[in-house]
Amino acid sequence: MINVAQQWNRCLDVIKANLPAEQFDAWFAPIVAVDHDLENNRVTLRAPSKFFVEQIEGRYLTLLSAALKKVFGENVRLTYKYNVVGGDDATAIEQSEDNSSVKLKQELKIRSPRVANPFQQADTLDDIDPQLNPKYTFENYCSSISNRLAVSIGQAIVDHPEVKTYNPLFVFGTTGVGKTHLLQAIGIKLKEQNPRMRVLYVSARVFESQYTTAVIQKKVNDFINFYQSIDVLLLDDIQEFAGKQGTQNTFFHIFNHLHQHQRQLVMSSDCRPSDLDGMVPRLISRFKWGMTVELEKPDYDLRRKFLAMKAAQDGLKISDEVMDYIATHVTENVRELEGVMVALLAHATMLGQDITIDLARSVIGNTVKVSQRQVTFESIAETVADYYNLPTELIYGKSRKREISDARQLVMYLAKKEAQMSSPSIGAKLDRTHATVLHACIQIEQRMSIEKDFSREVQAITASLTQ
């Protein structure tokens, strides 16, 4: 006899492998399989509420369907069971896929074109201007471990626009890490695949300016109606909304409309939603509905790829030695790398100079602040071990002795703060979990706040990293 609970666990394994842990725990961990009607091949899932059912169907149905078909077969049918009133089983009802409140598969809706200007009438222009820069494509987007997750999610949105698992997508990171490029790459690819789709890229500052004009001209309703007609809204630098109550309230209603009608939203910011100051809580909570992903500072691999791509595009012949020098000393963001390449191009074409390390050193000195030493996980581990007179290999080991454990936590903290590494990357270096790294960082910060001597030690170690 088939055990439906075991079969459902196999489905959960498939789902878990394709979702971030926090989304799996929130939406799938509470669901259990209660019955499998073999005659009709119908599986009944018990959900906490109707809201859960609507969220599962609206956000994760494609993934759920794939998992069910893999385990129960191609012709599997699905029924949900939930209580109308809290824990009262007497109010339990069943909802089959035939009378579901959310369609089992959202079809991409193609509507008649509208104009890009919210204050013009719909019949004055043939189509919306997406405000996309054709150079910002996926083909021109260099990928490495520092941005691979964000790029993969962006490509998933493009490959399956009818699936809204990552809606909204909230991308955050410091300046020059590729947020604008990624947003526009998503828009360009969607527009290429669906020319009639209304895709719009807009900066938060332009959105705010348009809203102010709408208020002055008493055309706020026209403004809202226009933005509610967009199929894919790409909103850049949303932190610019901070402190602007009217703009936030208006965007709140636009966001709700687009999300409820299965339109894709992609937003960028210089910080994660929870760190946005001057933003109303109800808007921040909506930013967290979908997927939040960080674009980290470019690692060495990404910087090297970018330099090689730019050299090829500009027709520059640059030796590997010079490329390595630039990638090692220009570490903050891609814009600085691009500035260095523009300067080298000028020297090579206008002055006829060969691109040597001496020239690169001169250009970098005039363009960016030079990193005296590349801060890596390995250099941090060695520096901390030397400071506390410990063999470096103990940092990587399993010892739980207090002095070794404390040093190991400090390495995790500095790798996060100084090398801009993600928690999973740090954990992988030390064979520890993501949660262990987060705990270590919190412990170090707490110690620094109350132990002055320890705080001075951390400052000394930090200063020695770049000397």
Side-chain angles (χ1 to χ4, degrees):
M1 182 176 179
I2 297 177
N3 186 318
V4 66
Q6 292 178 350
Q7 298 287 78
W8 174 239
N9 284 337
R10 288 175 57 196
C11 292
L12 290 178
D13 288 340
V14 174
I15 296 168
K16 191 172 186 178
N18 290 276
L19 273 186
E22 61 272 16
Q23 293 186 31
F24 176 85
D25 292 340
W27 298 111
F28 286 96
I31 295 177
V32 296
V34 295
D35 184 52
H36 182 201
D37 181 353
L38 293 176
E39 183 177 350
N40 297 306
N41 195 19
R42 181 182 291 274
V43 176
T44 300
L45 300 180
R46 179 86 187 205
S49 66
K50 183 179 180 180
F51 174 73
F52 255 73
V53 174
E54 292 175 346
Q55 291 298 309
I56 292 295
E57 287 194 353
R59 302 169 72 178
Y60 306 108
L61 187 64
T62 299
L63 179 57
L64 174 59
S65 298
L68 288 169
K69 288 179 180 179
K70 182 175 182 179
V71 176
F72 291 96
E74 285 292 326
N75 297 320
V76 64
R77 305 182 72 185
L78 179 61
T79 296
Y80 302 99
K81 188 174 184 179
Y82 53 84
N83 295 342
V84 175
V85 180
D88 186 359
D89 290 338
T91 66
I93 64 171
E94 290 189 0
Q95 177 176 301
S96 70
E97 59 190 36
D98 301 323
N99 62 2
S100 173
S101 60
V102 180
K103 292 182 180 180
L104 290 183
K105 184 173 183 181
Q106 293 292 338
E107 295 294 334
L108 188 63
K109 297 180 180 178
I110 304 298
R111 304 167 186 82
S112 58
R114 293 230 184 165
V115 295
N117 188 331
F119 309 119
Q120 289 179 314
Q121 297 301 313
D123 57 358
T124 58
L125 291 175
D126 292 332
D127 198 1
I128 188 172
D129 181 354
Q131 303 293 312
L132 297 169
N133 188 328
K135 77 174 184 178
Y136 288 140
T137 65
F138 277 114
E139 289 74 19
N140 290 333
Y141 200 92
C142 295
S143 176
S144 75
I145 193 172
S146 63
N147 64 10
R148 191 164 295 149
L149 177 59
V151 175
S152 297
I153 292 172
Q155 290 175 331
I157 290 173
V158 167
D159 292 340
H160 302 284
E162 76 281 1
V163 179
K164 294 298 185 286
T165 302
Y166 306 114
N167 191 28
L169 172 60
F170 192 100
V171 180
F172 73 95
T174 57
T175 183
V177 295
K179 301 186 297 294
T180 297
H181 192 151
L182 180 59
L183 263 63
Q184 295 223 11
I186 292 172
I188 288 171
K189 185 61 71 172
L190 285 172
K191 195 68 176 174
E192 287 176 354
Q193 296 176 171
N194 304 276
R196 295 185 61 199
M197 179 183 285
R198 284 193 303 285
V199 177
L200 180 63
Y201 167 86
V202 62
S203 69
R205 185 160 295 184
V206 169
F207 184 97
E208 158 71 13
S209 176
Q210 290 179 346
Y211 171 71
T212 302
T213 300
V215 172
I216 294 172
Q217 297 181 357
K218 300 186 186 319
K219 293 184 177 181
V220 173
N221 286 339
D222 291 340
F223 175 84
I224 293 174
N225 288 338
F226 167 75
Y227 274 97
Q228 287 181 344
S229 76
I230 304 300
D231 291 314
V232 179
L233 181 59
L234 311 164
L235 185 59
D236 209 358
D237 291 326
I238 202 165
Q239 74 275 359
E240 296 286 346
F241 284 175
K244 299 178 174 67
Q245 190 80 22
T247 303
Q248 291 182 40
N249 288 335
T250 300
F251 181 66
F252 173 81
H253 296 297
I254 292 171
F255 181 104
N256 282 346
H257 178 91
L258 295 179
H259 194 272
Q260 289 169 8
H261 288 79
Q262 298 294 306
R263 319 285 180 78
Q264 181 69 51
L265 294 111
V266 184
M267 297 167 288
S268 81
S269 172
D270 60 4
C271 62
R272 57 176 50 85
S274 57
D275 293 336
L276 283 169
D277 292 328
M279 204 76 73
V280 294
R282 63 177 183 171
L283 204 50
I284 291 177
S285 72
R286 278 155 176 77
F287 295 162
K288 300 176 183 178
W289 274 0
M291 182 69 184
T292 299
V293 61
E294 181 180 8
L295 281 175
E296 300 176 13
K297 288 174 60 176
D299 56 21
Y300 179 83
D301 183 40
L302 189 150
R303 299 196 298 270
R304 191 64 170 74
K305 286 181 179 178
F306 178 82
L307 290 170
M309 181 188 73
K310 286 297 295 180
Q313 290 176 346
D314 296 337
L316 289 177
K317 292 182 179 180
I318 304 179
S319 69
D320 289 340
E321 186 181 20
V322 174
M323 290 254 206
D324 291 339
Y325 180 84
I326 299 171
T328 300
H329 290 83
V330 184
T331 61
E332 287 301 307
N333 58 62
V334 172
R335 287 178 188 163
E336 290 186 347
L337 288 170
E338 193 163 18
V340 169
M341 292 299 287
V342 169
L344 290 176
L345 177 64
H347 280 273
T349 57
M350 300 177 68
L351 302 179
Q353 293 179 275
D354 293 330
I355 299 178
T356 63
I357 284 186
D358 287 339
L359 176 59
R361 183 183 294 112
S362 174
V363 166
I364 292 172
N366 293 330
T367 308
V368 300
K369 181 180 179 180
V370 179
S371 298
Q372 298 300 318
R373 178 183 172 192
Q374 185 181 10
V375 179
T376 65
F377 182 89
E378 289 72 19
S379 67
I380 291 171
E382 291 176 4
T383 303
V384 172
D386 288 345
Y387 189 89
Y388 291 110
N389 295 317
L390 296 171
T392 304
E393 57 267 21
L394 292 180
I395 300 292
Y396 295 89
K398 299 293 185 182
S399 175
R400 295 189 178 183
K401 288 184 178 180
R402 179 63 183 269
E403 64 272 19
I404 299 172
S405 178
D406 287 352
R408 188 182 297 121
Q409 286 189 341
L410 181 54
V411 169
M412 295 180 191
Y413 170 80
L414 291 173
K416 186 86 171 175
K417 184 172 182 290
E418 300 300 325
Q420 300 293 314
M421 292 177 64
S422 66
S423 297
S425 298
I426 298 170
K429 291 282 189 180
L430 295 170
D431 194 22
R432 262 70 174 183
T433 65
H434 167 80
T436 300
V437 176
L438 291 178
H439 173 73
C441 294
I442 292 172
Q443 289 291 103
I444 295 298
E445 288 175 350
Q446 290 177 344
R447 288 187 61 191
M448 289 176 64
S449 66
I450 59 177
E451 299 179 29
K452 292 183 178 180
D453 289 342
F454 178 69
S455 180
R456 282 192 286 268
E457 290 177 3
V458 175
Q459 291 174 6
I461 293 171
T462 301
S464 67
L465 286 172
T466 54
Q467 290 178 356

